[in-house]
Amino acid sequence: MKLNERGLLIVISGPSGVGKSSVRKALFDMPGQDLVYSISMTTRKPRNGEKEGVDYYFVTKETFEEKIKNGEFLEWANFVGNYYGTPREKVEELLDEGMQVVLEIEVDGALQVRRQMKDAVFIFLVPPSKEALINRLKSRGTECADELQERIDKAEKEYLLAYKYDYIVVNDEVNNAADRIMAIIRAEHARTERTIHKYVELMEGK
Ligand code: 5GP
């Protein structure tokens, strides 16, 4: 029986290179999960193997800026020279339907969501060490030297914002991190402020 009929917004964030997308994919591979991923929009060029409408919606700078003007993003950020944003309408539609919606976004965007969605759950993914993060960014080989350095510099500033999140999860191993996130999601469903109304109604026989 579900005591919580409202949708749950789960924001997974953390520095670039921490492994957010690997952890998110592991979370979505877990048997029986019923989460929905909010596909972001970006002006970044697709990497090898990335698919339109699966990994991102890839758009031009002009299109993105038009959408900013029209207020079509729940949040957006300019990250190392490219725009990234969460289309607002889809997320609101899914939440209204009672779905559990996952955003995987960088820190600026997560803090914008924090200001607007008071009952969302904010998870900050951290690497087991600074070296692990740098090695991961380097081994990915998807950025040129300047861009890599920019991402490392940005990550150093982003660490300091961890205290603004509800949970900190260490990504020592992708499946372990995904397990921890699933445990958080389950616990959040039982949180008193999400369930009390329904519970009282039940007890009053409504
Ligand atoms: P990448 O270029 O490596 O795919 O993504 C760069 C950064 O942008 C990552 O930290 C990723 O989590 C973040 N990102 C992806 N989609 C969004 C989004 O919709 N909004 C924001 N603010 N960040 C995003």
Side-chain angles (χ1 to χ4, degrees):
M1 189 189 69
K2 259 172 111 179
L3 280 178
N4 179 11
E5 289 177 339
R6 294 198 50 201
L8 184 64
L9 184 64
I10 303 126
V11 181
I12 302 176
S13 187
S16 170
V18 72
K20 292 191 289 293
S21 61
S22 309
V23 171
R24 186 252 304 165
K25 283 174 189 155
L27 190 65
F28 278 81
D29 282 345
M30 289 171 85
Q33 61 76 20
D34 57 350
L35 307 168
V36 185
Y37 177 53
S38 158
I39 301 162
S40 295
M41 198 166 276
T42 185
T43 57
R44 167 167 80 58
K45 297 274 167 290
R47 293 184 188 132
N48 261 348
E50 282 186 334
K51 289 199 186 78
E52 164 70 19
V54 175
D55 298 286
Y56 282 107
Y57 297 109
F58 296 98
V59 297
T60 61
K61 191 166 170 268
E62 292 68 35
T63 304
F64 200 104
E65 286 175 347
E66 188 62 30
K67 287 177 186 293
I68 296 176
K69 244 192 267 159
N70 296 337
E72 291 180 41
F73 291 110
L74 172 62
E75 60 73 35
W76 63 272
N78 191 322
F79 183 87
V80 195
N82 286 301
Y83 287 124
Y84 295 82
T86 303
R88 178 195 297 277
E89 201 177 294
K90 186 74 193 163
V91 170
E92 283 179 353
E93 215 176 273
L94 289 165
L95 290 175
D96 286 347
E97 288 167 13
M99 309 301 276
Q100 312 185 76
V101 184
V102 174
L103 307 188
E104 180 228 302
I105 60 179
E106 55 70 69
V107 176
D108 283 353
L111 298 180
Q112 289 171 47
V113 181
R114 170 121 250 179
R115 288 193 285 273
Q116 299 174 64
M117 311 285 254
K118 298 294 176 212
D119 56 357
V121 184
F122 292 83
I123 300 172
F124 195 72
L125 204 59
V126 295
S129 67
K130 194 168 155 185
E131 289 70 38
L133 181 89
I134 295 174
N135 289 340
R136 202 171 180 285
L137 274 172
K138 282 187 178 157
S139 67
R140 194 160 74 174
T142 45
E143 283 84 31
C144 66
D146 282 358
E147 214 177 288
L148 185 67
Q149 192 54 50
E150 231 180 306
R151 283 188 181 227
I152 293 171
D153 293 347
K154 196 160 169 67
E156 304 224 324
K157 293 192 193 106
E158 288 171 337
Y159 281 125
L160 305 174
L161 297 168
Y163 75 95
K164 296 197 178 228
Y165 287 72
D166 300 314
Y167 297 93
I168 295 178
V169 168
V170 180
N171 182 21
D172 45 1
E173 201 278 321
V174 169
N175 290 310
N176 287 343
D179 274 349
R180 290 179 194 126
I181 291 177
M182 191 53 93
I184 291 169
I185 295 172
R186 295 213 171 103
E188 280 293 330
H189 272 291
R191 192 181 272 284
T192 304
E193 58 261 40
R194 295 188 203 284
T195 55
I196 191 77
H197 296 299
K198 183 78 183 167
Y199 177 67
V200 168
E201 273 176 30
L202 276 174
M203 289 300 122
E204 289 175 352
K206 285 185 190 158

